[in-house]
Amino acid sequence: MQKALALILLLAMAVQLIWPLGLPGLRYRRDFWKIAVFAIVMMMVTVLIRP
């Protein structure tokens, strides 16, 4: 699950750099760092909930 999440978020970052997604908060190419912060938070959550 963690590897799949990382791959999906990496693809989203690449798409954001090439063609902005247009979602609220992701309107410009320079907003790709927000996806990276979200990815780090999500990976920390998956590590914390695993036994």
Side-chain angles (χ1 to χ4, degrees):
M1 179 66 184
Q2 190 173 5
K3 290 182 183 184
L5 181 64
L7 182 64
I8 290 169
L9 290 172
L10 265 172
L11 288 172
M13 286 176 63
V15 168
Q16 178 69 22
L17 282 173
I18 296 168
W19 177 41
L21 298 172
L23 299 171
L26 298 173
R27 300 215 184 267
Y28 306 105
R29 287 185 178 154
R30 65 180 180 256
D31 291 335
F32 76 97
W33 66 269
K34 294 177 184 177
I35 299 172
V37 170
F38 177 74
I40 291 169
V41 169
M42 289 305 295
M43 286 181 199
M44 290 299 222
V45 167
T46 58
V47 167
L48 288 174
I49 62 172
R50 290 175 78 181

